[in-house]
Amino acid sequence: MILQFIYAFFSTLGFAVIFNLEPKKALTASIGGGIGWIVYSISLDITQTESTSFLLGAVALTLFGEIMARKMRTPVTSFVTAALIPLVPGSGLYNTMLESLSGNYSGAASSLINTMNNAGALSIGILLVFTGSRAYTYYQSTKGAIR
């Protein structure tokens, strides 16, 4: 488990450098990538469904990114974009292309649908946290008053 965290940390760090993040922000984004991967791995062991695991991993890393973005006074997308890299379903895309090139079109379609479900789960996880954060911020700014 620790080794997986380290792999996710360094893969995120590599993309954070490519995205030209400052060193402190790059390290923070890398921790978020590691957290997202660990939550994904643990939930995959528990639920045995990839889509749910991708959703929970995305929620964890986005929540971490939101908290750290507020503490460091920087846009949250700089953390989330880099931290999302370990969770990108690249193997699903590879398998889709492999099945397609080998002539197994039904296998390619099945792999593509699974990959799209996983990518959608990532998007929904990010969207849930972003929307919840904005709603909380709005609630705090109005102190619960309905306008």
Side-chain angles (χ1 to χ4, degrees):
M1 189 71 69
I2 292 171
L3 202 55
Q4 289 181 6
F5 179 86
I6 292 170
Y7 291 152
F9 178 89
F10 282 112
S11 65
T12 304
L13 184 63
F15 275 91
V17 169
I18 290 172
F19 295 154
N20 214 13
L21 289 178
E22 297 172 10
K24 188 175 179 182
K25 293 175 185 173
L27 289 175
T28 304
S30 299
I31 292 169
I35 289 171
W37 183 262
I38 292 300
V39 170
Y40 165 78
S41 296
I42 291 171
S43 63
L44 187 60
D45 289 341
I46 294 170
T47 65
Q48 300 295 318
T49 56
E50 278 189 325
S51 295
T52 304
S53 301
F54 276 113
L55 178 102
L56 294 174
V59 165
L61 74 88
T62 307
L63 192 58
F64 178 79
E66 280 279 347
I67 292 168
M68 296 312 293
R70 291 178 192 275
K71 284 190 172 210
M72 299 178 83
R73 299 187 187 276
T74 190
V76 68
T77 54
S78 59
F79 294 122
V80 172
T81 304
L84 195 62
I85 294 299
L87 290 180
V88 170
S91 64
L93 293 173
Y94 172 79
N95 290 331
T96 300
M97 290 304 298
L98 185 65
E99 293 292 334
S100 178
L101 291 174
S102 66
N104 183 6
Y105 298 115
S106 63
S110 174
S111 180
L112 178 64
I113 290 169
N114 186 35
T115 302
M116 295 302 286
N117 282 339
N118 294 340
L122 288 174
S123 301
I124 291 170
I126 294 168
L127 183 67
L128 284 173
V129 175
F130 278 172
T131 304
S133 172
R134 301 299 174 251
Y136 177 76
T137 303
Y138 179 75
Y139 179 79
Q140 288 296 322
S141 68
T142 60
K143 298 293 184 205
I146 299 175
R147 295 180 184 209

